[in-house]
Amino acid sequence: MTFLRTIMAACCVAALAAATPLRAENLADALRDAYHNSGLLDQNRALLRAADEDVAQSLAALRPIISWQAQASYAATSARPVESLTDNVSGTISLSANLLLADGGASALATEAQKELVLQTRESLVQVEQQVLFRAVDAYMAVRRASEFLALRQSNVRVITQELRAAEDRFEVGEVTRTDVSLAQARLAAARSQLAAAQGNLAQANEEFRAAVGRAPGQLAVVSPAEVQHDVAAARTFAVRRNPEVLAAQHAVAAAELNIKRAEAALNPSLRLNGSIGMNDEGDTSQNFGMTYGGTIYQGGQLASVIRQAQARRDSARATLLVTSQGVSQNVGNAYAILAVARAGREAADLQIRAARTAFRGVREEATLGARTTLDVLNAEQELLDAQANMISAQADEVVATYRVLATLGLLTAQHLRLGVQSYDPAAYYNLVNEAPAYYSQQGQALDRVLEAIGD
């Protein structure tokens, strides 16, 4: 009996497990996977790390440069015959150091300019994150749209099949003509063609989802539009201050300004400390220490040209900032306009569906009484189908439009959406390299471990 009760309990558990529906994945699930699986994000994170290293390299110009050199030479003359090969071989080994003490601030300005470029690259990474997440939203809604279209086309085929059977039955008793049957057959063939097209569209939507999210879609849950502010003017002001494209352009202007000062500082003299220690093959040593102070008097106009070039690039960066700000403001207006159209379309489609459904039911009832033709029924069914299709598109368009608004504001990020992912910290790697650690130092070895972890 105990064994029998165990078997029955196991069967009950299995039945309950089979009866429990699988949880439909929601949009947040897709966005999290898109964030984790994006090769585009990995690419731009690597570019950011490369920009971080530019800061370390510019800072290294203010550090001592220590180098060694070993030299061997062979000399032989006709007056002195060679008795042994080693007799005419001499060698020296030396260690030298060079330290820049002052250069008018050019090296320090170069470091500050690189820091601005790092900040610019960070904002570019935020913009890429927005592109990745928006593509995932668009792909998610495309799959839902294609799935609902497919279900609609399948239902349409079933309904028209029933209408065809009804027309054939009525033809058998002489209530309709062969023309009515042919019309129903033609509509059924068209419905099957549209069903095949819907299946193809769903397959393409699935492929786009796989590319955007990094995996195939499962059962996708219904998505509600994102919450966005209604004041378009306030949204424009916010976007011009917070959109990552605008912030990146601002840092580009700051870097260009610093590069002008850096070019002007190159006109100043520099002061260097240098020294060397050497020893030859006989054990004799030599030391040499000194300071070098000097600058360029004339270089064919190159220095002045570099300054003018930096000023031109500054002007270009300022113009880019203006164009970017105008483009962002325009994108905000466009996004809100698209959202308004989508909402109006959804409201109109809702009214259209209710009216078309009532009309279809009435025409079908009238057709059974002989007051309507088969063509009238098919046309009414097509009106209802079009209304339902419009509703599906309008609902998907509204969701996508709200996330487009977030993207124009610079808010379509994993942090703002609260996706619960381990966000990439753009400052973590910078903090490891901004002091330009040596290759064999403890911090340099820690960097090696970090890079190995990233590579895995």
Side-chain angles (χ1 to χ4, degrees):
M1 293 296 293
T2 303
F3 177 75
L4 181 60
R5 285 196 297 268
T6 303
I7 293 296
M8 293 177 64
C11 291
C12 291
V13 171
L16 288 173
T20 302
L22 296 176
R23 184 185 72 88
E25 64 174 288
N26 54 34
L27 180 58
D29 296 329
L31 293 179
R32 279 190 287 268
D33 288 339
Y35 184 86
H36 288 305
N37 300 330
S38 174
L40 188 60
L41 278 176
D42 291 338
Q43 174 192 11
N44 283 270
R45 288 165 183 166
L47 292 176
L48 176 57
R49 294 195 297 272
D52 293 342
E53 294 292 354
D54 287 335
V55 175
Q57 292 171 21
S58 64
L59 182 63
L62 299 174
R63 302 281 180 81
I65 301 175
I66 303 174
S67 59
W68 65 273
Q69 180 180 4
Q71 181 179 2
S73 60
Y74 170 79
T77 62
S78 58
R80 181 181 177 184
V82 179
E83 299 179 357
S84 174
L85 184 63
T86 58
D87 291 343
N88 291 344
V89 175
S90 61
T92 59
I93 185 170
S94 62
L95 182 68
S96 61
N98 189 295
L99 176 62
L100 175 65
L101 296 179
D103 62 351
S107 297
L109 288 169
T111 300
E112 293 303 315
Q114 291 299 336
K115 289 180 180 179
E116 290 294 335
L117 293 179
V118 166
L119 296 177
Q120 178 189 6
T121 309
R122 288 183 185 179
E123 296 300 333
S124 298
L125 178 60
V126 174
Q127 182 62 18
V128 170
E129 179 181 343
Q130 291 202 129
Q131 294 172 2
V132 168
L133 295 181
F134 183 77
R135 183 184 181 187
V137 171
D138 197 34
Y140 186 100
M141 297 310 300
V143 172
R144 277 201 53 83
R145 186 201 311 257
S147 300
E148 293 183 11
F149 273 165
L150 178 58
L152 193 62
R153 296 302 178 186
Q154 290 171 339
S155 176
N156 185 36
V157 169
R158 289 192 297 268
V159 170
I160 296 181
T161 299
Q162 294 173 358
E163 295 296 336
L164 174 59
R165 291 173 182 171
E168 290 173 341
D169 293 340
R170 295 169 66 189
F171 173 74
E172 291 295 334
V173 297
E175 293 182 3
V176 296
T177 65
R178 173 62 67 181
T179 302
D180 295 285
V181 177
S182 298
L183 285 172
Q185 290 174 339
R187 286 293 179 90
L188 179 59
R192 287 173 175 168
S193 175
Q194 292 171 343
L195 174 60
Q199 291 171 337
N201 291 336
L202 178 58
Q204 294 180 47
N206 287 337
E207 291 302 322
E208 171 61 17
F209 186 95
R210 189 189 299 272
V213 179
R215 58 170 175 79
Q219 182 182 355
L220 304 185
V222 177
V223 179
S224 299
E227 293 290 336
V228 297
Q229 60 176 323
H230 301 288
D231 190 343
V232 180
R236 291 180 189 271
T237 303
F238 181 88
V240 171
R241 290 188 291 107
R242 293 285 302 275
N243 187 284
E245 290 185 86
V246 175
L247 296 179
Q250 290 174 349
H251 289 300
V253 172
E257 296 281 2
L258 290 169
N259 282 330
I260 294 176
K261 296 180 181 180
R262 176 189 177 189
E264 293 171 344
L267 298 173
N268 298 323
S270 62
L271 176 63
R272 291 181 178 274
L273 175 66
N274 52 71
S276 63
I277 300 175
M279 183 176 64
N280 60 20
D281 54 350
E282 296 180 354
D284 298 329
T285 61
S286 62
Q287 298 87 26
N288 181 23
F289 299 96
M291 298 181 68
T292 303
Y293 183 70
T296 302
I297 297 177
Y298 179 72
Q299 198 174 349
Q302 180 181 0
L303 295 179
S305 176
V306 170
I307 294 174
R308 293 193 299 270
Q309 184 184 58
Q311 291 171 340
R313 288 176 174 167
R314 184 269 319 276
D315 296 339
S316 174
R318 286 177 175 176
T320 299
L321 174 59
L322 176 61
V323 172
T324 301
S325 299
Q326 292 173 339
V328 166
S329 179
Q330 180 184 5
N331 291 338
V332 171
N334 291 340
Y336 273 96
I338 293 172
L339 176 58
V341 170
R343 285 174 173 170
R346 175 180 55 78
E347 294 171 359
D350 183 55
L351 296 175
Q352 184 184 8
I353 285 176
R354 283 185 282 177
R357 182 177 290 114
T358 301
F360 175 61
R361 291 171 179 171
V363 169
R364 187 165 55 181
E365 287 295 329
E366 293 172 2
T368 59
L369 300 175
R372 294 283 187 170
T373 65
T374 301
L375 181 59
D376 293 331
V377 176
L378 294 174
N379 287 338
E381 194 273 337
Q382 186 64 43
E383 289 288 337
L384 177 58
L385 177 68
D386 292 341
Q388 292 170 333
N390 291 338
M391 174 60 81
I392 292 172
S393 291
Q395 288 174 336
D397 291 342
E398 183 180 6
V399 172
V400 174
T402 56
Y403 282 93
R404 180 181 282 107
V405 169
L406 291 180
T408 60
L409 299 179
L411 299 177
L412 189 56
T413 62
Q415 181 179 4
H416 180 78
L417 297 177
R418 298 178 181 178
L419 297 180
V421 297
Q422 183 64 38
S423 298
Y424 182 81
D425 184 3
Y429 187 84
Y430 175 83
N431 293 334
L432 291 174
V433 302
N434 63 344
E435 295 297 331
Y439 182 77
Y440 294 106
S441 67
Q442 183 177 359
Q443 191 172 359
Q445 294 175 358
L447 268 173
D448 290 339
R449 292 190 293 270
V450 170
L451 292 174
E452 289 176 3
I454 293 174
D456 294 338

